[in-house]
Amino acid sequence: MDVNEQIVAAWAEKSKSLFLITELYFGKRHNDVDLLGVSLINQEIWDIEVKVRTGSTNMCEKDFKTIIDNFYSADREAAIKMLISSSSFSRKKVLVISDSYLGSWENKFKEKGLEVIRFDIVMQDLREFAKGESKSMNPIIQTLRLST
């Protein structure tokens, strides 16, 4: 799990009260579901992909198609269903993405059934959470706590 996925995992656990399964691999090319979250409170399953780019990286049509194809892959669905087949919880597909990479594509992702959450919002929520902590065993939260 890369550092951006670790940040989103800390946010999902602390801000959204999700239990997480990480690095759920599927398919022949070793694709993975970045994070699969379960909310017992809201009875939801979150299928989360994290796409963070820095600088002037702009999304193109090919990137958009790759993200959508990955979310709707039959192999991905099979891997998720293997874990949650008996669950009656609702499912949502969540794309956590940096503003610089998202550009003007948000509505297109929403049209394809994805909930889009901006990475800067994740960071803002985590900073607020960290301010209220006196200590944390989570290295992401602890780092943010010490920097505030």
Side-chain angles (χ1 to χ4, degrees):
M1 185 165 36
D2 72 28
V3 68
N4 298 315
E5 292 166 358
Q6 291 174 19
I7 291 168
V8 174
W11 168 80
E13 289 174 337
K14 304 300 182 186
S15 294
K16 301 299 178 186
S17 301
L18 298 178
F19 293 104
L20 295 175
I21 299 167
T22 61
E23 300 175 352
L24 175 60
Y25 293 99
F26 63 90
K28 295 176 184 170
R29 296 184 326 186
H30 298 289
N31 291 330
D32 72 322
V33 174
D34 291 340
L35 302 164
L36 189 64
V38 178
S39 170
L40 298 177
I41 296 166
N42 296 322
Q43 297 187 344
E44 293 178 322
I45 295 169
W46 290 37
D47 176 359
I48 304 170
E49 280 296 311
V50 179
K51 300 293 181 198
V52 175
R53 304 288 188 273
T54 58
S56 62
T57 304
N58 294 317
M59 184 172 304
C60 63
E61 186 70 34
K62 180 182 175 193
D63 296 338
F64 173 78
K65 184 176 178 345
T66 298
I67 292 168
I68 295 301
D69 288 350
N70 186 36
F71 263 112
Y72 290 99
S73 155
D75 290 336
R76 181 188 191 101
E77 284 297 313
I80 292 171
K81 284 185 180 181
M82 184 176 67
L83 292 174
I84 61 161
S85 62
S86 62
S87 174
S88 61
F89 288 8
S90 63
R91 283 201 33 216
K92 59 167 62 175
K93 296 177 183 303
V94 178
L95 176 62
V96 178
I97 189 167
S98 56
D99 278 342
S100 62
Y101 193 45
L102 178 60
S104 62
W105 292 86
E106 184 169 0
N107 286 335
K108 287 190 178 194
F109 281 117
K110 288 180 177 180
E111 288 170 8
K112 295 291 185 178
L114 275 59
E115 180 175 333
V116 176
I117 299 174
R118 296 171 184 272
F119 190 74
D120 63 321
I121 298 299
V122 168
M123 289 300 298
Q124 182 180 17
D125 287 354
L126 270 180
R127 282 188 202 99
E128 286 301 313
F129 179 83
K131 284 181 188 176
E133 294 290 289
S134 59
K135 64 180 180 177
S136 179
M137 297 302 290
N138 181 302
I140 301 292
I141 300 296
Q142 183 68 359
T143 302
L144 290 172
R145 189 185 74 73
L146 292 173
S147 69
T148 58

